[in-house]
Short mmCIF file of all heavy atoms in Angstrom, two decimals:
data_model
loop_
_atom_site.label_atom_id
_atom_site.label_comp_id
_atom_site.label_asym_id
_atom_site.label_seq_id
_atom_site.Cartn_x
_atom_site.Cartn_y
_atom_site.Cartn_z
N SER B 922 -50.04 -11.41 -8.53
CA SER B 922 -49.70 -12.77 -8.96
C SER B 922 -50.58 -13.80 -8.28
O SER B 922 -50.98 -14.79 -8.90
CB SER B 922 -48.23 -13.08 -8.63
OG SER B 922 -47.37 -12.26 -9.37
N ALA B 923 -50.87 -13.57 -7.01
CA ALA B 923 -51.71 -14.53 -6.28
C ALA B 923 -53.08 -14.64 -6.95
O ALA B 923 -53.62 -15.74 -7.12
CB ALA B 923 -51.85 -14.10 -4.83
N VAL B 924 -53.63 -13.50 -7.35
CA VAL B 924 -54.96 -13.48 -7.97
C VAL B 924 -54.92 -14.17 -9.33
O VAL B 924 -55.74 -15.05 -9.64
CB VAL B 924 -55.47 -12.04 -8.10
CG1 VAL B 924 -56.68 -11.96 -9.02
CG2 VAL B 924 -55.78 -11.47 -6.72
N THR B 925 -53.97 -13.79 -10.17
CA THR B 925 -53.99 -14.36 -11.52
C THR B 925 -53.55 -15.82 -11.50
O THR B 925 -54.09 -16.62 -12.27
CB THR B 925 -53.12 -13.51 -12.47
OG1 THR B 925 -51.81 -13.36 -11.92
CG2 THR B 925 -53.74 -12.14 -12.66
N ASP B 926 -52.62 -16.17 -10.63
CA ASP B 926 -52.26 -17.59 -10.50
C ASP B 926 -53.50 -18.42 -10.15
O ASP B 926 -53.73 -19.49 -10.73
CB ASP B 926 -51.22 -17.81 -9.40
CG ASP B 926 -49.82 -17.31 -9.77
OD1 ASP B 926 -49.62 -16.87 -10.92
OD2 ASP B 926 -48.93 -17.35 -8.90
N ALA B 927 -54.29 -17.92 -9.21
CA ALA B 927 -55.47 -18.67 -8.76
C ALA B 927 -56.49 -18.78 -9.88
O ALA B 927 -57.07 -19.85 -10.12
CB ALA B 927 -56.09 -17.98 -7.55
N LEU B 928 -56.73 -17.69 -10.58
CA LEU B 928 -57.74 -17.70 -11.64
C LEU B 928 -57.32 -18.63 -12.77
O LEU B 928 -58.14 -19.40 -13.30
CB LEU B 928 -57.97 -16.29 -12.17
CG LEU B 928 -58.79 -15.39 -11.23
CD1 LEU B 928 -58.72 -13.94 -11.67
CD2 LEU B 928 -60.25 -15.88 -11.18
N LEU B 929 -56.06 -18.56 -13.16
CA LEU B 929 -55.61 -19.39 -14.28
C LEU B 929 -55.56 -20.86 -13.89
O LEU B 929 -55.80 -21.74 -14.72
CB LEU B 929 -54.25 -18.91 -14.78
CG LEU B 929 -54.31 -17.53 -15.44
CD1 LEU B 929 -52.91 -16.99 -15.71
CD2 LEU B 929 -55.13 -17.57 -16.73
N GLU B 930 -55.28 -21.12 -12.62
CA GLU B 930 -55.28 -22.50 -12.16
C GLU B 930 -56.70 -23.07 -12.16
O GLU B 930 -56.90 -24.28 -12.30
CB GLU B 930 -54.68 -22.57 -10.75
CG GLU B 930 -54.56 -23.98 -10.25
CD GLU B 930 -53.26 -24.23 -9.52
OE1 GLU B 930 -52.32 -23.39 -9.65
OE2 GLU B 930 -53.17 -25.25 -8.84
N ALA B 931 -57.68 -22.19 -12.00
CA ALA B 931 -59.06 -22.65 -11.92
C ALA B 931 -59.61 -23.12 -13.27
O ALA B 931 -60.64 -23.79 -13.32
CB ALA B 931 -59.95 -21.53 -11.37
N GLY B 932 -58.94 -22.79 -14.33
CA GLY B 932 -59.43 -23.23 -15.64
C GLY B 932 -59.25 -22.13 -16.66
O GLY B 932 -58.64 -21.11 -16.39
N PRO B 933 -59.80 -22.35 -17.84
CA PRO B 933 -59.61 -21.34 -18.90
C PRO B 933 -60.26 -20.03 -18.50
O PRO B 933 -61.35 -20.02 -17.96
CB PRO B 933 -60.30 -21.97 -20.10
CG PRO B 933 -61.24 -22.97 -19.54
CD PRO B 933 -60.65 -23.46 -18.26
N GLN B 934 -59.58 -18.95 -18.76
CA GLN B 934 -60.06 -17.65 -18.32
C GLN B 934 -59.87 -16.63 -19.43
O GLN B 934 -58.84 -16.64 -20.10
CB GLN B 934 -59.27 -17.17 -17.10
CG GLN B 934 -59.37 -18.06 -15.89
CD GLN B 934 -60.71 -17.97 -15.19
OE1 GLN B 934 -61.43 -16.99 -15.36
NE2 GLN B 934 -61.06 -19.00 -14.43
N LYS B 935 -60.86 -15.80 -19.55
CA LYS B 935 -60.67 -14.61 -20.36
C LYS B 935 -60.53 -13.47 -19.37
O LYS B 935 -61.44 -13.16 -18.62
CB LYS B 935 -61.88 -14.39 -21.27
CG LYS B 935 -61.76 -13.16 -22.13
CD LYS B 935 -62.70 -13.22 -23.32
CE LYS B 935 -62.78 -11.85 -23.97
NZ LYS B 935 -63.98 -11.10 -23.55
N LEU B 936 -59.35 -12.89 -19.33
CA LEU B 936 -59.07 -11.90 -18.30
C LEU B 936 -58.55 -10.61 -18.90
O LEU B 936 -57.82 -10.61 -19.88
CB LEU B 936 -58.00 -12.44 -17.33
CG LEU B 936 -58.38 -13.64 -16.48
CD1 LEU B 936 -57.19 -14.10 -15.66
CD2 LEU B 936 -59.54 -13.30 -15.56
N TRP B 937 -58.97 -9.54 -18.29
CA TRP B 937 -58.40 -8.24 -18.60
C TRP B 937 -58.04 -7.61 -17.26
O TRP B 937 -58.89 -7.08 -16.56
CB TRP B 937 -59.40 -7.38 -19.39
CG TRP B 937 -58.73 -6.25 -20.08
CD1 TRP B 937 -57.59 -5.62 -19.69
CD2 TRP B 937 -59.14 -5.63 -21.27
NE1 TRP B 937 -57.26 -4.63 -20.57
CE2 TRP B 937 -58.20 -4.60 -21.57
CE3 TRP B 937 -60.21 -5.80 -22.15
CZ2 TRP B 937 -58.31 -3.79 -22.69
CZ3 TRP B 937 -60.31 -4.99 -23.25
CH2 TRP B 937 -59.37 -3.99 -23.52
N VAL B 938 -56.78 -7.70 -16.94
CA VAL B 938 -56.32 -7.32 -15.60
C VAL B 938 -55.50 -6.04 -15.65
O VAL B 938 -54.59 -5.92 -16.47
CB VAL B 938 -55.46 -8.45 -14.99
CG1 VAL B 938 -54.97 -8.05 -13.60
CG2 VAL B 938 -56.24 -9.75 -14.93
#
Side-chain angles (χ1 to χ4, degrees):
Chain B
S922 295
V924 167
T925 53
D926 288 355
L928 285 168
L929 292 171
E930 184 139 345
Q934 298 287 339
K935 179 160 168 261
L936 294 176
W937 198 332
V938 179

